Amino acid sequence: MLQADERRLAEWEARAEWPLTGLAVVFLVAYAWQVLDDGATPGVRTGLEIALWVVWLVFAVDYVVRLKLAVDKRKFVVRHLFDLLAVVLPVVRQLRVLRLVTVLNVLNKRLAGRIRQRVGIYVAGVTLMVGLCASLAVLDAERHQENATITTFGDALWWTLTTISTVGYGDRYPVSWEGRMVAGLLMVGGIALLGVITGTIASWLVEKLSGVEQQLERADEALLTEVRSLRAELAEMRAELNAGSTEHA
């Protein structure tokens, strides 16, 4: 019964991964449009807002279904804590970008093993996604605040670059609590991203070294087999020579 229930959960997740990824991409486009087009008409803004909340609803339903299918619900919550945050925290407008964690999860599951040898591409893609999301979120939070230092998308990109790289020039900084929350998450995300990079490189190196070790072991085995074969041939030749010497005598 336990295995059957876990299989149902795995089947649901497999079916839902790519549809949720598509919705996350739709969300990114809608949210970027909403943030960057500050002068959009009320009709356009209403349409974008509806699209964003529809995506949130689908994500929430998916999480509830998976929680219901999970046998060990406590373990499921702990293992999918980021998914829970992506559903709960986006009630704060600027944290809606957490829904894009679905895209990162799918990319990690589908591509990490395939492009481990091309670590640079994988890391660049994840960094670009995190940086874009953080820039949109902090601009959304800060643009209309009093004494704001982040008022354009360029300012937001620069702030994201200095924050995620831990340089922190201090010329651009959030003044609202929403913006500071985004900053905190970006700092944690930057540390986590560094851990992922380190782990991916270490895993790749271990895999390469293991492959070299296996090749050396196979080479040693082949060499040992060849030596044994030569010894057998020499023994046969020696026996033939001894037999010839005996007959001659």
Side-chain angles (χ1 to χ4, degrees):
M1 182 65 178
L2 180 61
Q3 293 180 351
D5 288 343
E6 292 294 349
R7 186 166 57 250
R8 290 172 57 196
L9 175 60
E11 290 174 352
W12 172 269
E13 290 179 338
R15 289 195 301 265
E17 272 183 351
W18 287 113
L20 288 178
T21 300
L23 285 176
V25 173
V26 170
F27 163 80
L28 176 59
V29 173
Y31 184 66
W33 188 350
Q34 188 181 60
V35 173
L36 298 178
D37 189 7
D38 196 34
T41 63
V44 170
R45 300 192 69 82
T46 299
L48 294 174
E49 191 71 18
I50 292 174
L52 295 177
W53 281 109
V54 168
V55 172
W56 176 86
L57 179 61
V58 174
F59 278 29
V61 169
D62 170 71
Y63 183 84
V64 171
V65 170
R66 288 188 293 144
L67 180 60
K68 184 177 180 181
L69 292 176
V71 176
D72 189 341
K73 301 190 184 320
R74 180 178 298 179
K75 182 178 179 181
F76 175 85
V77 172
V78 173
R79 292 182 59 183
H80 298 83
L81 185 59
F82 211 1
D83 291 345
L84 177 61
L85 294 177
V87 172
V88 175
L89 289 182
V91 295
V92 179
R93 172 187 167 93
Q94 288 75 23
L95 298 184
R96 294 176 182 178
V97 290
L98 286 177
R99 297 171 193 168
L100 292 171
V101 70
T102 301
V103 175
L104 299 181
N105 282 340
V106 172
L107 290 176
N108 185 62
K109 291 178 182 178
R110 299 290 185 181
L111 301 180
R114 298 178 184 178
I115 63 174
R116 190 177 296 166
Q117 297 178 358
R118 302 170 66 183
V119 178
I121 296 177
Y122 179 68
V123 171
V126 175
T127 304
L128 181 62
M129 177 71 72
V130 172
L132 176 61
C133 294
S135 299
L136 291 172
V138 76
L139 178 61
D140 192 17
E142 294 292 307
R143 179 166 45 198
H144 300 298
Q145 297 294 326
E146 186 177 357
N147 299 323
T149 62
I150 304 174
T151 57
T152 66
F153 189 59
D155 293 338
L157 287 175
W158 173 248
W159 170 83
T160 299
L161 179 62
T162 58
T163 301
I164 201 171
S165 62
T166 69
V167 174
Y169 279 107
D171 56 340
R172 297 287 185 271
Y173 53 88
V175 297
S176 66
W177 69 268
E178 297 96 335
R180 290 171 180 171
M181 187 176 295
V182 173
L185 290 174
L186 181 61
M187 293 173 191
V188 174
I191 296 173
L193 183 60
L194 180 61
V196 170
I197 295 171
T198 304
T200 302
I201 294 175
S203 176
W204 177 73
L205 289 176
V206 169
E207 181 179 324
K208 284 297 183 183
L209 291 176
S210 298
V212 171
E213 183 178 355
Q214 292 175 359
Q215 290 177 2
L216 291 175
E217 290 177 355
R218 287 194 294 266
D220 289 341
E221 292 176 358
L223 181 59
L224 181 60
T225 301
E226 186 175 352
V227 169
R228 287 174 178 173
S229 177
L230 289 173
R231 285 180 177 178
E233 291 179 2
L234 289 173
E236 291 178 0
M237 293 174 63
R238 183 180 299 173
E240 291 177 357
L241 290 174
N242 290 337
S245 298
T246 303
E247 292 177 357
H248 183 71

